[in-house]
Amino acid sequence: MPSPFLTQAAAPLTREVEVVDEHGERGKTSIPAERPLTLYVDRRELVTLMTLGAHPEWLVLGYLRNQRLVRSLDEVESVTVDWEIGAAAVKTRRGIAKFKERTSRRVVTTGCGQGSVFGGLMDEIESIRLPEAAITQAQLYGLLNAIRLQESTYKSAGSVHGCSLFDGEKMLLFVEDVGRHNAIDTIAGWMWLEDPAMPTHDKVFYTTGRLTSEMMIKSAQMGVPIVVSRSGITQMGHEIAQQLGMCAIGRATNKHFLCYAGAHRLQLQPELAGPRLRAAA
């Protein structure tokens, strides 16, 4: 079956605004663009996503995938994005069974930018089976260094979250958006388009945001069992990681990190961390 038709409607990521600094001097600075994108599936309104608009078609596909409304790429005939009206129209090949029933119960999550998942998604956790996978401490440090060197909207304008997919310590894709949930959905959409059967046992997901229940579930649904964050983890995020056997690594900057769950997937090399600094007596 042919791949779905996709527009290429990337939008500008930043805009310049006038500012006044602490000395009373006027100048210009860049800020992230934030725009609403209302998603319609077979002419039925589903949700409005607040997004930068870097890869809106990937975002839409990943959102449908991670909400389990669409199970395979061949169910989608087209995704058409029109920024003049702020809409993304999805046309499926056979419709979505029990659409109203499956989208009636919505859970507002802790995702910045007001993330949400449909209630039934939380009930399907036990059906997820993740591949055997591991990461070495050396690979983790290589991954963190790649993130440090990555040019980003955050460095120029701030106020956004970044997510990335790694193969070991090789960065495959880096995505930024106003909400980390949008960024992970965009990666999920890209993975589908790149290879619907993409192996995930060698993949690692990185996010600048907290490891919440939503982030852990979405990573698990993508088949990626190792998740790294420069931030911490929530109680529900921790419980889901333990339940699914995921490796959750947080507070990861430079050579420091905390492995909150799934330490059996982390091959420690403590000698790489350098000497432990101790407080003077």
Side-chain angles (χ1 to χ4, degrees), residues 95-115:
I96 296 177
K98 299 181 179 179
F99 180 86
K100 186 175 181 180
E101 176 184 329
R102 293 166 65 184
T103 58
S104 61
R105 185 161 57 101
R106 183 172 297 176
V107 178
V108 177
T109 72
T110 54
C112 56
Q114 196 97 129

Side-chain angles (χ1 to χ4, degrees), residues 135-228:
I135 184 173
T136 67
Q137 193 163 333
Q139 289 174 322
L140 175 60
Y141 286 160
L143 177 158
L144 295 176
N145 188 56
I147 289 292
R148 182 180 64 82
L149 298 175
Q150 175 67 34
E151 289 299 319
S152 65
T153 301
Y154 180 83
K155 290 180 180 178
S156 64
S159 305
V160 297
H161 276 295
C163 292
S164 190
L165 185 69
F166 282 85
D167 183 344
E169 54 192 285
K170 177 185 176 183
M171 184 184 294
L172 300 178
L173 183 68
F174 178 79
V175 174
E176 289 178 302
D177 213 314
V178 289
R180 58 185 180 270
H181 48 89
N182 283 351
I184 190 172
D185 285 344
T186 301
I187 289 175
W190 174 85
M191 290 173 69
W192 246 3
L193 291 167
E194 192 73 8
D195 180 2
M198 179 181 289
T200 56
H201 67 279
D202 53 358
K203 303 298 187 294
V204 180
F205 174 70
Y206 173 88
T207 177
T208 57
R210 299 183 304 278
L211 298 179
T212 63
S213 56
E214 180 185 21
M215 299 301 283
M216 300 308 293
I217 291 172
K218 288 185 174 183
S219 182
Q221 289 186 146
M222 291 156 56
V224 180
I226 300 172
V227 184
V228 180

